[in-house]
Amino acid sequence: MLCVMSCGVMLLAGALLGPVAAVAAAGPAPVFRLVTHEAGLSNATFIPNAGYPGENAFMAGGVAVGDFNNDGLPDLFVPAGGSGPDKLYINQGDGTFVDEAPLWGVNRWTRAAGVAVGDFNNSGYLDIFVVNYGDFPFPPAVGRCILYENQGPDEHGRWRFVDVAAQAGVHHVFGVVGGMGAAFGDFDLDGRLDLFVSTWIAHPGGNRLFRNNGDGTFANVSQILPPEPSPLRGFTPNFADIDGDGWPDLLLTNDFRTSRLYRNQGTQPDGSFAFENITQAAGISHDCFGMGSVLADLDGDGVLDWFMSDIYRPMSNPPCGNTLYRGLGNDPDGLPRFDNTAAQAGVLDSGWAWGVTAFDANNNGWTDLAVTGGWPAWPSTPTRLYMNRGDGTFADRAAQAGVAWVGQGRGLVHLDYDADGRVDLLIVSNGGQARLYRNETPNPGRFLRIDFDTDAHPCLAPRGVGTRVRVTAGGRTQTQLLDSRTTYLSQSEQTLHFGLGDAEIIDSVEIRWADGSTETLFDVQPDQRIVVPAFHPADFDRNGRFDFFDIAAFLRAFLAGDPAADFNGDGTVSMDDLFAFVQRFLDPCAR
C-alpha cells in the first residue's frame, strides 16, 4: 500500500554499530563488465582536434546523461572533440544505444569542454548546454557556446534540437577561449533553471552566473558574486543548499587553491540577490588542484559531504591529494562547517584525478565513490572504486570489480542504462574510446529509484532540481539532494537511486521540495522506480489542475473542521489556515 501524507563525528552511527556492521557494509566487491561495443558505443570517442587552447586539449572530455525523449531511459550526449561529429546515443531499451545525432541536429564537429543538461525553458524536455571553443575546421573563437533547445516530437514523432544560445544570451560566455564546466540550478527559487559556467584560463572574462529571465533568455548577473582579487581557475561548479536555509549555494571546485563556497543570502530588501564568500570560514582550504567534484552523504549522518578530485603530490608543501570535506553541519551562527578527512578515509591518492561520481555500487545502502584520471608523462594510476565500509573509511576494490582501467580518464558518470536496478559507469577517455561498464553484481541489495514531475507546480525547478529526500528502510535513513549531478565536464543521471540492502519494505520516503513544502510516502515497495508528482500549492484536491474547484473543496473542508484543511500543518484548523491558503493561491511561490 502506498500512502501519501502532506506535511507542512565521522559516521557516528557506524561507530555505534561497531566493526562487524562496518565490514558488512562494504561487503564483497561488486562486479562490472566492459560492454562498450555490445551496447553500441564503439564510436563514442573523444579526440581533441586543433583549436583547443593550451593544455585544455589534454583536460577536455565530457559526457552528459539525460532522458531526452521522455521514455524513462537515460540517453547520452558525447562530444567528439572536433575529430568527428558529436554523438547523441538514444537508449533503445534493450541494453543498446543508437547514435541519432544527425536526426536530432546535434552532429556538429564541436571543440567541446563541459556539458550540462536541464529544462531551461520549462517545456517538459531536457535541453543541453555545451561549452564550445568553436566548430572545426573554423578557427577557435569566443561566442561559440551552444544551447540546444529540445523541440520535442513533431507531428511525425521526430525529435529535434535547435541551437538558441545567441538568442538566449549564453553563447558569448567568456572573454577568452577557455571555458570548462557548467551547471544548471535554481538559485533564486523562481522555478526556472539558472546557469553557471566556469573557465580555467586566468582571465576576468570567465566564471559567469546567468539568471533565467523566464522568457527564453538569460541575464549575466555575475556582479552579485563576491569580488575576487584575481581570476578563479574554475573546473566544476554546482548549486546546492549546504546550510539548510532553503537557498541553493554555489560550490566551485577550482584549480590552484581557488575553490570557493559562496553562500546564497537570498532575496535582499531591494529584491536583488547576493552571495557571501564563506570558503575559509567553512573549512574549505585543503584542496590544491580541485578538478572534479561530487556531493553526497557519504557517512550517513544526514549532512552532505563534498569530495574533490585532485593531484596526489605527497612531497609538496603542503601535501596534495583528493579532499573529502566531511559536512559537520552548521555552527551556532548558522555557518556550515567541513573537515577534510580524505587521508583517514583512505581516498587521498587517485593519481592525477579528474572525473568522480558517487553511487551505491552494490545496493547495500552506503554510497561509494569512483574516480578516474591520468596525465601525459605522469605516473599511471588505475581508476579507483572506493567501496564504503560504513565506518567512515573506504576500500579500493576496482581491481576485483573489473574497473581498474589505466588510461586518460576525464568525464565519469553513473547511470542505470539497462534499468535493472544496478548502477553502471561510463568513463570518457581523452584521446580514445569511452568505456561503459555494466554493473553485473550478483545478488545485490534491493533498491528504490525516484524521479520527480514538477510540471504542475509553477515555482519548482523542472524535474525537481533542489529536492531533498530521506529514505528510511531496514533501520537506517539515507539522505540525498537532487542537485544538477554535475561532475568534471559532465553530468550523471538525475534519477535518485537508493540501495536498500535486504529491506523488505521502505518505511518512509520524506520529500522536502525546494519551496520548503514536504510530503511523506509510507510503506513503499522496494525494487521499483517511482515518479513523485508535485502539485500547485493551492491544488487542494491534488488532481493536477488548479481551478475554482480547489477553492470550493478547501472551503467545504475548512467549514467542516476537516483536518485536511490544516493547510499550514500546525495541527489545528483555524483562520490561519484560511489566510495561508489565500496567500498560496495568490502567490504560489511565497516562502
Side-chain angles (χ1 to χ4, degrees):
M1 174 182 180
L2 182 63
C3 174
V4 182
M5 182 182 76
S6 295
C7 351
V9 163
M10 175 65 80
L11 190 57
L12 177 59
L16 293 175
L17 289 173
V20 174
V23 172
V31 175
F32 288 84
R33 183 169 64 90
L34 185 63
V35 296
T36 309
H37 295 284
E38 67 185 70
L41 302 181
S42 298
N43 294 323
T45 57
F46 183 89
I47 302 175
N49 214 316
Y52 278 83
E55 293 182 324
N56 288 47
F58 302 108
M59 297 188 290
V63 57
V65 183
D67 180 8
F68 300 117
N69 57 3
N70 287 356
D71 65 353
L73 297 170
D75 310 303
L76 301 169
F77 176 73
V78 187
S83 61
D86 295 341
K87 304 295 193 295
L88 181 69
Y89 291 103
I90 301 300
N91 197 321
Q92 302 299 297
D94 60 359
T96 67
F97 296 86
V98 171
D99 177 23
E100 297 184 8
L103 300 176
W104 290 64
V106 297
N107 58 326
R108 292 167 57 172
W109 292 47
T110 66
R111 298 183 182 92
V115 288
V117 170
D119 180 5
F120 86 94
N121 56 0
N122 293 45
S123 67
Y125 307 117
L126 287 177
D127 313 298
I128 306 173
F129 179 81
V130 184
V131 176
N132 183 29
Y133 306 152
D135 291 10
F136 183 82
F138 306 107
V142 298
R144 297 295 187 268
C145 290
I146 300 167
L147 179 58
Y148 285 125
E149 180 185 22
N150 191 333
Q151 304 286 298
D154 63 16
E155 64 274 16
H156 303 293
R158 294 188 292 256
W159 294 73
R160 190 79 178 169
F161 281 104
V162 175
D163 181 12
V164 298
Q167 302 95 301
V170 293
H171 66 303
H172 199 293
V173 176
F174 312 104
V176 63
V177 178
M180 292 304 291
F184 284 107
D186 184 12
F187 81 83
D188 54 1
L189 297 180
D190 64 355
R192 300 186 291 262
L193 290 177
D194 310 299
L195 177 68
F196 188 91
V197 193
S198 63
T199 188
W200 177 78
I201 292 178
H203 190 279
N207 299 303
R208 295 302 194 199
L209 176 62
F210 292 92
R211 187 180 184 186
N212 195 322
N213 293 323
D215 59 1
T217 68
F218 292 81
N220 183 358
V221 295
S222 304
Q223 72 277 2
I224 71 175
L225 299 176
E228 294 285 351
S230 59
L232 305 180
R233 307 297 293 274
F235 276 133
T236 307
N238 206 346
F239 294 94
D241 176 18
I242 291 297
D243 58 2
D245 65 354
W247 295 100
D249 308 299
L250 186 54
L251 297 83
L252 305 178
T253 299
N254 296 342
D255 207 351
F256 301 116
R257 304 184 189 278
T258 66
S259 294
R260 293 292 186 267
L261 174 55
Y262 291 149
R263 181 163 61 175
N264 190 337
Q265 296 180 296
T267 309
Q268 303 300 292
D270 62 356
S272 64
F273 285 83
F275 286 82
E276 173 190 9
N277 185 354
I278 61 170
T279 309
Q280 293 295 320
I284 307 299
S285 58
H286 299 276
D287 53 292
C288 300
F289 310 102
M291 297 176 183
S293 171
V294 69
L295 292 170
D297 179 12
L298 297 171
D299 53 6
D301 65 353
V303 180
L304 291 178
D305 310 303
W306 185 4
F307 181 91
M308 294 185 192
S309 59
D310 207 307
I311 304 173
Y312 182 62
R313 298 179 63 181
M315 303 307 293
S316 62
N317 186 23
C320 297
N322 299 330
T323 50
L324 198 172
Y325 289 116
R326 177 183 171 240
L328 304 176
N330 295 350
D331 67 14
D333 295 323
L335 181 74
R337 301 300 302 272
F338 293 86
D339 180 31
N340 180 23
T341 61
Q344 305 94 301
V347 296
L348 182 67
D349 177 12
S350 301
W352 194 303
W354 298 100
V356 58
T357 194
F359 70 113
D360 189 344
N362 53 6
N363 287 346
N364 69 346
W366 294 94
T367 301
D368 310 302
L369 290 166
V371 188
T372 193
W375 188 252
W378 191 263
S380 297
T381 301
T383 295
R384 308 292 199 193
L385 180 60
Y386 293 118
M387 298 299 296
N388 195 328
R389 290 192 176 105
D391 62 353
T393 68
F394 294 77
D396 179 18
R397 300 283 183 82
Q400 300 93 319
V403 295
W405 170 68
V406 177
Q408 295 297 317
R410 296 298 183 265
L412 169 61
V413 296
H414 71 264
L415 70 161
D416 182 9
Y417 82 94
D418 53 1
D420 67 350
R422 292 173 289 193
V423 182
D424 314 298
L425 292 174
L426 178 68
I427 301 174
V428 174
S429 171
N430 181 284
Q433 186 181 72
R435 304 175 68 84
L436 177 63
Y437 290 95
R438 182 174 187 259
N439 190 333
E440 297 182 348
T441 303
N443 304 313
R446 312 191 81 166
F447 68 91
L448 178 69
R449 294 173 61 78
I450 307 176
D451 285 307
F452 302 99
D453 178 0
T454 57
D455 290 349
H457 196 305
C459 312
L460 293 180
R463 308 198 181 207
V465 172
T467 304
R468 193 178 296 263
V469 179
R470 288 163 46 90
V471 170
T472 300
R476 291 190 59 243
T477 297
Q478 302 177 56
T479 301
Q480 290 191 37
L481 172 70
L482 179 55
D483 57 7
S484 60
R485 286 299 190 257
T486 302
T487 181
Y488 182 73
L489 302 184
S490 305
Q491 184 170 315
S492 291
E493 68 175 3
Q494 290 188 300
T495 299
L496 297 184
H497 181 101
F498 291 87
L500 304 172
D502 57 2
E504 296 292 330
I505 194 71
I506 302 166
D507 302 315
S508 65
V509 178
E510 303 171 57
I511 299 166
R512 184 177 183 84
W513 302 101
D515 67 349
S517 62
T518 63
E519 63 182 75
T520 304
L521 317 180
F522 293 105
D523 299 330
V524 181
Q525 293 295 322
D527 296 338
Q528 64 168 324
R529 169 182 173 260
I530 63 175
V531 179
V532 181
F535 300 95
H536 188 290
D539 181 5
F540 189 71
D541 57 13
R542 294 206 153 198
N543 62 359
R545 298 187 301 273
F546 173 53
D547 49 31
F548 169 79
F549 295 102
D550 295 296
I551 302 173
F554 174 77
L555 290 176
R556 284 195 300 270
F558 177 78
L559 294 173
D562 189 331
D566 178 17
F567 197 77
N568 62 5
D570 65 356
T572 63
V573 177
S574 67
M575 290 299 295
D576 290 338
D577 297 298
L578 180 59
F579 293 143
F581 180 82
V582 171
Q583 180 188 33
R584 298 309 290 272
F585 179 88
L586 297 174
D587 182 7
C589 299
R591 291 180 55 81

